[in-house]
Amino acid sequence: AAACDHQQHNTDYGIKFQIVMLKATLVSNQAMCLIKQFDLQEEEYIKEDVINSLIGIISDIDAAIQSMDNVGSCPADISSSATSRKAVRSKLLYRRSKVRFLLAVYRKDVPTHLKMSHSQWIEHVAKAQSDLQELLSFDPDNKEAITFLRQVKSKTAEMLKDENLLDSSPISSALMNLQEILGGSEASNMTLKNISDDNNVVVESLKYIHATLLDDISNGTRELLRNGAKGGKIVLEIACRGKDMVGIDAMTVGRRVQTLAMQCVASACVHPSFSAWLVEYLQETRKETDFENDLYRIVSEENTEDDTSTTDLVIATMALEMRLIIHKHFKEDDDCYNNDFSDNNNEIDERLNQDSLRTPTSQLQTRLCCAVLESNQKKCKLTAINALSVWLDQNPLNIINSTDENDDGIIYSKVKEPSEGEIRKMPPRQLAEYRKRVAIRNRYRKQRSRNNAIYFCTHGGLEKLISSAVHSKESFWRRECIVQIGRLVKSMCDETLPLDDDGLPVDNVLQKIVMTVFEQTPKIINIEEDHEFDEVQGNDLVLCMKRCLFATGVLYGTPSIGVWMLDKVWNCAKDEWNLLASSDTVAAMSIAAEFASAAANEKETRPWISSFVNVADIDGTWRKLLSCDDQDVQSGAASAMAKLGLSDKNLSSDEGELVALLHVATGLLQGHETDERANDVRSEVRFYSTETYNAPLERGVELLSYLASKTFVKNEIIQGAGLSTSSTTSEISVLEKLVQLAQSKSTISPSVKYSLATIFASLCVSVETLRREAFEGQEITPEQYDELQAMGKTQEERKIELMRDFDSSDSVGSRVKVMAQYKVPQALVSLIPGATEGTLEQVAKSFSRIACEESVRGSMIQQGCLSACINLSKSGEFSGTYKSIVRLAQHTIAKLLVTTNPSSLRTTQCIGSILPLLMLVKDYESSDLQKFEALLSITNLASFNESTKDHIVGENGISILSYAMFSNHEMVRRAATEAMSNLIPHPKIFEHLRNQDKLKVWVAFASDYENNFECARAALGCLAMATQDSIVANELAMINSTRSMVMNILECGRLELMHRMLVLLLNLQQHGESCKDLIDTSGAVLFCEGYVSSYQNEKYLDLGFSKNDTKLMEITINLAKEIISASKA
C-alpha cells in the first residue's frame, strides 16, 4: 500500500510538473511573439498598449520562473526533466532580458506619460544584464546570450554617455537602491525593517552586483571602492548581519539577502585591491575580531540546517575566508622577499617563527573547518577541504592558477618574478641576491605551511577530519579526507631536521601527533571463534576505521612515515585490518581496501599486505573484498592485487598473469558508474575544488597504464580486447573506451588524464626505442650496456632474454595505424586543456611517436594534432619539464610537415608552424635529428608561396638558417643550405648574399662536393638562382676561389652539379665585364666547346646512362651551346 501511495504521489507530481512546464513554454512563446511584433512595427512612437504588453510579459515570466523553482524536478525522469527545465528557463531568461533592454533603449520613443526616469531605465539595463549572466551561469556555451550580453554592455555605455550619466553606472544605481531601502547614511545604521515591501529590489540589486563582479571583477570592485568604499561597506554590513537586520517573520528573506551579499563580498575579494581594503578597514575600525566571530557564527548556525539557502551562505562565507587567506599569504610572501635580512640565520629563523605562528588566523581557520566538517551537506564539507588546501599550500599562486579566477590578468603579488632569460642575464651579485631572497621566501612558505598543519592537527582539526570520513557513507568523501590527511602529514615533515636511527627526521611534534591517533587501542575479538560479529560493532569498529584511514592517508602522503608507523606504532595493525576487511560494513571494508592499495604502492609494505592475498581461499578475507557488491571495495582490492603482481618480475612477464591483470583492469572500466552526485557537488563548489575522484575508473586506468608497458598487453589492446566483468563482456573494446574517456565532456581528474596519456604513449613505442631514449646523453650506449650484462649470463639465458618482450618496428607501425583509425590523436588533443605538465609531456611524446609513421600524418593533422602542437609551442620563456614538452611539440610539427603538401593546410597552420620550427633549429639543446627534420619542413614551407617566405624571413629565419649551416652534422648543414636556397627570390636573401664574406661560405660549400655532395648541390643551386641579381653576380666574380670552383665542378663529371654551374655561367654573362672576365679566364668557354664537340649529335647515348641522366646530359649540352654563343656575341 505504501508503494502504491508513493507511485500515485509520483504520478500526481509528474502531472503537476508537466502543467507548470507547459505554462512556462506558452509564456516563453508569447514573449517571443511580442519581441518580433516590436521589431516589425514602423510607427515613429511606440504605442501605449505595446509598452504595457512588454511590462506585463516581464511579470508573466517572473511568475513562470517562480513556478518552475517551486515544482522542482519530476521524480519519474529526473534527467530528462532537468534538461527540459534548463532549456525553458534559458529561453525565459533570454527573452526577459531582451524585453527589458528594449524598454531601456526605446525609452524616448514612448508617450510622454510613460517616459522613464534615469534610475528606471538604468534598472532595466541592470536587470537585463543580470538575466543574461544568470543564463550563462548554467548554459555557458549559449552563443546568442554571449553575443547579446556584449551588445547590452556596449549600448549601455553609449546611453550613459549620451545622457551624461557616466557616474551613474548600473552597479552604482544598485548600490543607491540598497542605501535608500535600508536607510541610514552609515552602513552600521542600516536596517532591513522595510524589506517586506522592497525585498525584490534588494534581491535584484544584490544579484546584479554579484553578476557584475563575476563578469568584470576590475570594474565591479572599482565601483564598490568609490567614495570611500561606501558600496563595499554597505554590502559587507548586509553580509555579516543580514538576518539580524530583519524580524522573525522575514527570516527567510533575510537569509537570502545575506547570502547574496556574502557572495558579493567573496567575489570582490578575488581582486587584491578589495581584499587589501577589507583587511585595512577591519583593522582601522577594530572590527577584526567581530568580523571573525560573525563568520564563525554564520557557519556554525547555518551549518545545522538542511536548506539550499543556508548551504549557499556557508559556501560563500568559506569562499570569503579562503580569499582573505590567499591575500594574506601573498602579502606575507612579498614582505619576506623585500625584507633585507642579514646573513645571520638566527634572525631569519626568528622572523619565520614570528610571522608564521599567527594564532588568531589559525584559530579562526581551524574553528571554521571543524564547524563545516560537522555539516550534513556535502557541498559545505567540500569547502572545508578546499579551505584546508588553501591554508596548507606553500605558494598561493598555485591556488590561483588552479582556478579560473586569473582570467582578467590580475596581478596578485607586488614582486615581479623574473623570467628565465632575465635570470640568465643577471650580473653575479644581483643573481646571488635574487637567489638568497627566493630561498628565504621558500623557507618562510614551508614553515608557514608546517605551522598551519600543526595547529590544525593539535587543536581538534585532525580528529574532526577523521571522524567525518569514518561516519560518512560516501566513498568519494572518504577519499577526499584521506588525501587531506596525507597533505597534512607531508606539510608537517621538516626535511631540514637531522635523521634518527630509522632514517626519519627527528620531529617530536609529528611523532606525537601520529602516536596520539593510536593511543586508544580497540578491543579485537577473533571473529573465527563463536563470537557474533555484532559484538565488535560500535566504538571499537569505528576506532579501527579511524586508525586504518589515518594510516592510509599517511602512506599516500609520506610513505617513509607510513612505513615507520606500521612498524613501530600500529602494533595490532594486521588484526585490525582483518577485522575491517572481514566485516559486513561497506565503509569499513572500503577503508581496508584503500589501505591495501596504498600499502601495495611501497616496497617496504608489500610483504605486509601480500600475506593476506589468497584468492584461492573461497571464504578468505581477500575473496570477500573482491566479491563485494560495492565498486570502491572491489577496485581497491583489485588495485592492490595488480600492484603486487606487477612488482614481481616473474609474474609481470608471465602472459597468463598479464591476462588476469588485464581482465581486472577492464573489469574496473566496464563496471564503474560515475558518481554523478559527487561530481555535481564538486562542480558547484568551484572556489578551490579538489580533484574529481572515481575509485573504480581511476584505478582501472592506472592499472592499464602499468600493464601497457608490456608488449603482449599492447597487442591485446590494439587487437580489440573487450571490456569485461565477472559475468559479461562488452562489445566496446578497451581502446574505444579509453578514447571515450579522453574525449568525455565531464570533468576527469588530473591523475586519470595522466594515466590515459601514458597508456597512449606506451602503445606507440617499442621497448627498444624506450631503451635508446633512456640512454640518450649517457656515456654508454645500449649495445655496450647489453654486452656488460651478457657477461654474467649463460648462452641459453641470452637467447631467452632476446625472445622476451620482442617488439618490432613493423608491430609498432601497425599499432599506430589502428590508433589513428580509432581517433587516438584526437583523444590526445582533448586531454590538453587543463592538463598538468606531466600529462602534457606524455601527450607530446605520443604525438612525436605517432608522427614517426608516415601513413598517419595526414590523419593526425585532420584530428587536430598540428594545431595543438602549434599552441603548445607558443614562444616564451620556458623552464624545466615544459621546455622538453615544447621541444617535443616542435619536433612533431617538423615530422608532420616533412611529407605534407603545404597546399592541404590552412593558412593559419602554415604560418603558425614557421616560428616553432625555427625555434627548434635555434635550440642548442635539440638533437641533430630534430634540427634536420625541422629544416626539411622549413624547406617544404618555403617552397609553397611568397607568404611563407615572408614569414620565415620575418621571424629572423635567415640568421637562424645561416647559423645552422655551420653545424657539425653534415645532414643538418645540407638541410639548412636547402632551406636557404628555397627562400630565393626573396629580397632579403639577395641582400644577405650581396655580402662577399657570406658569399664565400656558399662558394666553399659548393666546392666541397666530394665530401658532401647534397650540400654542394644545394649551395650551387642557390648560387645559380642568386646570380640573376647583378650585385650578387659581380660580388661572386670578385672572389678568388670562384675560378677554381667553376673548373672543378665543370670537370667533376656529376651532371647535377654541372647543370647548376652552367646555369650560373649563363647568368654571369649577362652582368658586366668582371663577370665575363671570370668566364674567360677560368676556361669555362673552352670547356663548353670541348664538351659540345665530344657529345653532340647524341653521341652520349652510347655511354649507357639512365633515362634521367640522358635527359640531363641533353640539357647540359644545350646550356653549353648557349654559353658559347653568348661569348661570341
Side-chain angles (χ1 to χ4, degrees):
C4 292
D5 291 342
H6 181 69
Q7 185 176 4
Q8 181 63 39
H9 171 74
N10 283 349
T11 303
D12 295 341
Y13 196 80
I15 295 172
K16 182 180 179 182
F17 175 81
Q18 291 176 6
I19 292 172
V20 170
M21 293 304 298
L22 179 60
K23 288 182 177 179
T25 303
L26 291 173
V27 171
S28 175
N29 292 341
Q30 184 184 0
M32 182 186 67
C33 293
L34 285 173
I35 293 169
K36 291 290 185 184
Q37 182 183 0
F38 186 90
D39 291 339
L40 294 173
Q41 71 174 0
E42 298 178 355
E43 288 83 354
E44 185 176 353
Y45 282 93
I46 302 171
K47 296 180 180 179
E48 184 174 350
D49 59 336
V50 175
I51 297 294
N52 291 332
S53 298
L54 292 176
I55 294 173
I57 200 64
I58 292 176
S59 301
D60 293 342
I61 293 175
D62 292 343
I65 292 176
Q66 185 64 45
S67 298
M68 289 171 61
D69 291 340
N70 293 336
V71 77
S73 298
C74 177
D77 188 359
I78 292 178
S79 59
S80 62
S81 67
T83 303
S84 62
R85 187 172 64 169
K86 176 182 173 181
V88 174
R89 187 184 188 89
S90 178
K91 291 178 181 179
L92 287 170
L93 288 171
Y94 180 80
R95 288 164 186 172
R96 185 172 68 180
S97 173
K98 199 141 193 173
V99 170
R100 284 171 166 168
F101 187 62
L102 288 173
L103 290 172
V105 171
Y106 294 96
R107 63 194 182 280
K108 296 181 180 179
D109 301 330
V110 298
T112 305
H113 66 282
L114 291 177
K115 287 190 182 296
M116 290 181 283
S117 64
H118 294 318
S119 60
Q120 286 176 319
W121 70 261
I122 289 175
E123 182 182 347
H124 276 305
V125 170
K127 289 182 177 180
Q129 290 189 38
S130 183
D131 283 341
L132 292 171
Q133 285 156 344
E134 182 181 346
L135 189 162
L136 292 173
S137 67
F138 62 84
D139 188 10
D141 297 325
N142 192 313
K143 294 182 179 179
E144 282 187 321
I146 293 171
T147 303
F148 187 48
L149 181 59
R150 292 197 194 102
Q151 181 184 346
V152 170
K153 288 182 178 179
S154 175
K155 190 66 178 177
T156 301
E158 289 181 17
M159 292 190 295
L160 290 172
K161 186 176 180 180
D162 292 342
E163 299 281 354
N164 295 320
L165 293 172
L166 289 177
D167 291 334
S168 300
S169 64
I171 192 170
S172 62
S173 298
L175 291 169
M176 288 173 59
N177 289 338
L178 289 177
Q179 187 174 2
E180 289 175 5
I181 294 171
L182 301 178
S185 58
E186 294 296 329
S188 58
N189 297 328
M190 293 180 178
T191 175
L192 296 179
K193 58 186 178 181
N194 297 323
I195 196 169
S196 56
D197 300 327
D198 300 295
N199 67 78
N200 189 50
V201 176
V202 174
V203 169
E204 290 295 329
S205 298
L206 288 171
K207 282 174 66 177
Y208 177 73
I209 294 170
H210 184 222
T212 302
L213 289 167
L214 293 176
D215 185 59
D216 189 353
I217 183 67
S218 298
N219 288 328
T221 52
R222 191 181 300 115
E223 289 288 346
L224 290 177
L225 296 176
R226 287 178 62 185
N227 301 322
K230 194 170 185 178
K233 294 174 185 177
I234 293 172
V235 177
L236 178 64
E237 194 67 24
I238 301 173
C240 289
R241 59 188 192 93
K243 281 204 309 179
D244 300 336
M245 299 162 72
V246 299
I248 296 176
D249 297 338
M251 191 64 71
T252 303
V253 177
R255 182 184 290 120
R256 187 183 182 195
V257 168
Q258 185 174 14
T259 301
L260 285 169
M262 188 65 75
Q263 289 172 341
C264 291
V265 178
S267 299
C269 280
V270 170
H271 203 283
S273 62
F274 191 87
S275 297
W277 166 80
L278 180 56
V279 172
E280 185 180 348
Y281 170 71
L282 294 173
Q283 290 174 347
E284 287 179 355
T285 56
R286 299 183 179 180
K287 292 182 178 180
E288 196 167 14
T289 303
D290 294 339
F291 176 72
E292 292 174 355
N293 290 333
D294 284 338
L295 296 187
Y296 177 71
R297 177 176 52 81
I298 291 170
V299 169
S300 57
E301 288 179 0
E302 303 294 335
N303 211 23
T304 58
E305 300 188 32
D306 190 7
D307 182 72
T308 304
S309 60
T310 60
T311 301
D312 292 340
L313 181 54
V314 172
I315 292 173
T317 305
M318 294 298 292
L320 171 59
E321 176 62 17
M322 283 185 267
R323 285 156 185 166
L324 288 177
I325 290 173
I326 289 176
H327 169 75
K328 291 176 182 178
H329 284 186
F330 271 118
K331 188 175 186 305
E332 290 165 358
D333 289 351
D334 291 350
D335 292 344
C336 182
Y337 183 90
N338 293 321
N339 200 334
D340 293 324
F341 290 105
S342 65
D343 292 332
N344 186 349
N345 287 329
N346 291 331
E347 179 190 347
I348 298 172
D349 291 337
E350 183 180 353
R351 169 64 188 273
L352 293 176
N353 289 326
Q354 267 184 356
D355 287 355
S356 56
L357 284 172
R358 301 172 315 284
T359 304
T361 304
S362 302
Q363 184 180 9
L364 173 65
Q365 182 64 21
T366 303
R367 289 170 67 200
L368 288 176
C369 285
C370 289
V372 175
L373 285 171
E374 294 179 346
S375 173
N376 295 324
Q377 291 290 319
K378 292 185 284 291
K379 296 179 186 178
C380 295
K381 291 196 294 187
L382 267 175
T383 60
I385 295 292
N386 294 336
L388 193 55
S389 300
V390 171
W391 202 32
L392 295 179
D393 203 297
Q394 295 180 13
N395 187 355
L397 195 58
N398 294 337
I399 303 296
I400 297 297
N401 292 336
S402 68
T403 67
D404 299 328
E405 294 188 346
N406 203 18
D407 291 345
D408 295 328
I410 300 170
I411 299 174
Y412 291 87
S413 174
K414 294 180 180 178
V415 175
K416 184 181 182 300
E417 296 291 343
S419 64
E420 187 178 344
E422 291 172 337
I423 294 173
R424 286 198 297 266
K425 294 175 183 178
M426 286 181 180
R429 188 182 297 275
Q430 183 183 355
L431 180 61
E433 179 66 22
Y434 166 73
R435 287 177 174 171
K436 174 187 172 184
R437 292 180 181 275
V438 170
I440 293 173
R441 182 177 62 185
N442 289 341
R443 284 179 58 193
Y444 178 87
R445 286 172 170 174
K446 287 181 181 178
Q447 185 67 32
R448 176 178 64 201
S449 178
R450 182 171 186 267
N451 287 348
N452 288 343
I454 291 172
Y455 190 95
F456 181 83
C457 291
T458 55
H459 288 76
L462 180 61
E463 173 59 29
K464 287 286 185 184
L465 187 64
I466 296 173
S467 296
S468 177
V470 167
H471 291 98
S472 174
K473 296 180 180 179
E474 301 285 347
S475 59
F476 90 93
W477 176 246
R478 285 194 296 273
R479 173 65 186 180
E480 297 283 0
C481 293
I482 287 171
V483 171
Q484 287 304 315
I485 290 169
R487 189 173 293 173
L488 282 165
V489 174
K490 189 174 183 179
S491 298
M492 287 187 285
C493 284
D494 191 348
E495 299 171 355
T496 62
L497 295 174
L499 303 180
D500 59 15
D501 296 337
D502 296 321
L504 300 174
V506 180
D507 188 352
N508 293 329
V509 177
L510 178 56
Q511 291 179 8
K512 188 180 295 184
I513 291 172
V514 172
M515 296 180 74
T516 301
V517 178
F518 294 94
E519 273 180 351
Q520 188 178 355
T521 305
K523 179 182 178 182
I524 304 298
I525 298 175
N526 190 350
I527 301 175
E528 296 178 359
E529 297 178 359
D530 295 332
H531 300 283
E532 293 292 332
F533 186 77
D534 289 341
E535 295 181 41
V536 296
Q537 295 288 346
N539 294 333
D540 285 334
L541 181 64
V542 170
L543 185 56
C544 291
M545 292 168 66
K546 288 182 177 181
R547 289 151 68 98
C548 189
L549 184 132
F550 175 75
T552 305
V554 175
L555 271 173
Y556 275 130
T558 314
S560 58
I561 301 293
V563 172
W564 164 79
M565 174 193 62
L566 201 59
D567 185 41
K568 304 286 186 181
V569 182
W570 195 10
N571 299 322
C572 49
K574 287 193 175 182
D575 292 333
E576 292 185 38
W577 186 88
N578 194 42
L579 171 66
L580 297 177
S582 303
S583 70
D584 291 325
T585 306
V586 172
M589 296 172 71
S590 176
I591 292 172
E594 192 72 46
F595 177 82
S597 180
N601 278 336
E602 303 305 319
K603 180 180 179 181
E604 294 83 355
T605 53
R606 281 178 194 139
W608 190 98
I609 197 63
S610 62
S611 62
F612 290 97
V613 180
N614 185 4
V615 183
D617 186 359
I618 298 176
D619 298 323
T621 303
W622 200 260
R623 189 60 178 263
K624 187 171 184 177
L625 292 176
L626 286 174
S627 59
C628 180
D629 293 334
D630 186 79
Q631 277 286 317
D632 290 289
V633 177
Q634 277 187 18
S635 64
S639 174
M641 187 177 72
K643 291 173 185 176
L644 292 172
L646 289 170
S647 65
D648 188 324
K649 290 187 177 180
N650 293 324
L651 287 174
S652 63
S653 59
D654 180 76
E655 288 190 1
E657 184 66 23
L658 290 175
V659 169
L661 293 175
L662 181 60
H663 181 79
V664 171
T666 57
L668 293 175
L669 291 182
Q670 168 72 356
H672 100 273
E673 294 180 3
T674 305
D675 190 345
E676 295 295 341
R677 292 174 299 165
N679 288 337
D680 288 343
V681 170
R682 291 187 183 91
S683 65
E684 292 184 36
V685 188
R686 285 297 303 276
F687 300 110
Y688 303 100
S689 102
T690 53
E691 65 181 47
T692 306
Y693 183 80
N694 182 284
L697 170 65
E698 190 142 334
R699 285 175 177 144
V701 177
E702 179 190 24
L703 178 52
L704 270 179
S705 69
Y706 296 147
L707 293 171
S709 62
K710 305 296 178 182
T711 302
F712 172 78
V713 176
K714 295 178 189 178
N715 293 331
E716 284 291 308
I717 293 174
I718 291 297
Q719 289 168 10
L723 299 175
S724 61
T725 62
S726 57
S727 58
T728 61
T729 300
S730 172
E731 294 182 0
I732 186 173
S733 68
V734 175
L735 187 60
E736 287 177 291
K737 180 63 177 178
L738 294 174
V739 170
Q740 287 178 5
L741 285 173
Q743 295 179 326
S744 174
K745 293 183 179 180
S746 60
T747 304
I748 56 177
S749 70
S751 56
V752 171
K753 279 190 173 186
Y754 177 78
S755 297
L756 288 170
T758 303
I759 293 169
F760 293 141
S762 298
L763 292 176
C764 55
V765 70
S766 65
V767 176
E768 181 61 27
T769 303
L770 288 174
R771 289 179 70 250
R772 293 193 174 279
E773 288 179 359
F775 279 96
E776 282 183 5
Q778 303 298 322
E779 296 181 357
I780 186 172
T781 65
E783 292 76 13
Q784 292 171 334
Y785 177 79
D786 289 340
E787 289 177 9
L788 291 173
Q789 292 291 309
M791 292 173 66
K793 297 177 182 177
T794 64
Q795 190 70 24
E796 192 159 332
E797 286 175 335
R798 294 179 194 175
K799 288 182 180 178
I800 295 173
E801 192 71 30
L802 289 173
M803 294 172 61
R804 182 179 295 174
D805 217 19
F806 178 72
D807 195 8
S808 67
S809 58
D810 290 340
S811 297
V812 176
S814 299
R815 290 202 300 267
V816 168
K817 291 175 184 177
V818 175
M819 291 171 70
Q821 180 183 348
Y822 279 91
K823 298 191 181 302
V824 170
Q826 188 175 355
L828 287 164
V829 172
S830 301
L831 292 175
I832 293 176
T836 62
E837 282 193 358
T839 303
L840 289 177
E841 185 177 25
Q842 294 301 317
V843 170
K845 283 182 180 179
S846 302
F847 284 154
S848 181
R849 291 167 181 173
I850 295 173
C852 291
E853 178 60 39
E854 183 179 337
S855 61
V856 303
R857 289 174 183 169
S859 179
M860 286 183 70
I861 294 173
Q862 290 176 351
Q863 294 180 39
C865 294
L866 178 59
S867 299
C869 288
I870 292 172
N871 291 330
L872 279 176
S873 55
K874 294 293 185 183
S875 60
E877 294 289 344
F878 305 116
S879 61
T881 305
Y882 202 79
K883 186 179 288 186
S884 66
I885 295 169
V886 171
R887 193 178 298 118
L888 284 167
Q890 293 168 343
H891 192 199
T892 303
I893 296 172
K895 290 178 181 179
L896 292 175
L897 297 186
V898 167
T899 56
T900 301
N901 187 345
S903 63
S904 64
L905 302 175
R906 298 195 303 270
T907 303
T908 53
Q909 291 175 326
C910 271
I911 301 305
S913 301
I914 290 172
L915 181 58
L917 293 172
L918 289 172
M919 290 300 101
L920 185 59
V921 175
K922 185 180 178 182
D923 187 359
Y924 67 92
E925 294 182 5
S926 61
S927 65
D928 289 328
L929 176 62
Q930 291 173 331
K931 287 184 170 70
F932 174 69
E933 291 183 328
L935 288 164
L936 290 183
S937 295
I938 292 171
T939 304
N940 189 16
L941 291 173
S943 65
F944 180 44
N945 57 30
E946 295 304 316
S947 177
T948 54
K949 289 184 175 68
D950 287 338
H951 277 81
I952 292 172
V953 172
E955 298 290 355
N956 201 26
I958 293 177
S959 174
I960 294 171
L961 297 176
S962 298
Y963 185 79
M965 288 174 63
F966 292 93
S967 170
N968 293 328
H969 201 286
E970 63 179 26
M971 300 288 283
V972 176
R973 288 202 304 273
R974 187 253 290 182
T977 306
E978 290 175 346
M980 286 284 281
S981 302
N982 273 19
L983 290 178
I984 290 178
H986 195 279
K988 289 293 182 180
I989 193 68
F990 282 125
E991 185 180 322
H992 173 81
L993 293 172
R994 287 168 185 168
N995 185 316
Q996 192 175 120
D997 291 334
K998 294 174 181 176
L999 201 55
K1000 288 178 181 178
V1001 175
W1002 290 84
V1003 173
F1005 276 28
S1007 303
D1008 192 31
Y1009 57 87
E1010 291 184 351
N1011 296 320
N1012 195 338
F1013 173 76
E1014 289 85 359
C1015 185
R1017 181 179 58 189
L1020 194 57
C1022 180
L1023 291 175
M1025 292 184 289
T1027 47
Q1028 297 175 56
D1029 181 79
S1030 59
I1031 300 177
V1032 174
N1034 283 288
E1035 290 294 335
L1036 179 64
M1038 294 170 64
I1039 298 174
N1040 295 330
S1041 57
T1042 302
R1043 287 174 173 78
S1044 60
M1045 176 193 70
V1046 171
M1047 285 311 298
N1048 288 338
I1049 291 175
L1050 288 175
E1051 295 173 354
C1052 73
R1054 302 196 180 189
L1055 291 174
E1056 288 182 271
L1057 298 181
M1058 292 171 63
H1059 176 212
R1060 287 162 173 76
M1061 178 53 73
L1062 291 170
V1063 172
L1064 186 152
L1065 293 173
L1066 198 60
N1067 288 338
L1068 289 177
Q1069 286 182 324
Q1070 302 174 13
H1071 302 296
E1073 292 300 323
S1074 61
C1075 296
K1076 293 179 181 179
D1077 182 60
L1078 169 67
I1079 296 172
D1080 294 337
T1081 56
S1082 65
V1085 177
L1086 292 175
F1087 173 85
C1088 290
E1089 291 174 348
Y1091 185 66
V1092 170
S1093 62
S1094 299
Y1095 299 108
Q1096 65 180 347
N1097 299 325
E1098 299 185 346
K1099 294 178 182 179
Y1100 53 84
L1101 296 177
D1102 299 331
L1103 298 176
F1105 285 165
S1106 65
K1107 186 175 180 181
N1108 289 336
D1109 285 346
T1110 301
K1111 185 176 181 180
L1112 198 55
M1113 189 77 179
E1114 184 180 349
I1115 293 172
T1116 54
I1117 291 171
N1118 291 332
L1119 286 171
K1121 289 178 180 178
E1122 289 185 41
I1123 292 171
I1124 296 169
S1125 300
S1127 64
K1128 294 178 179 179

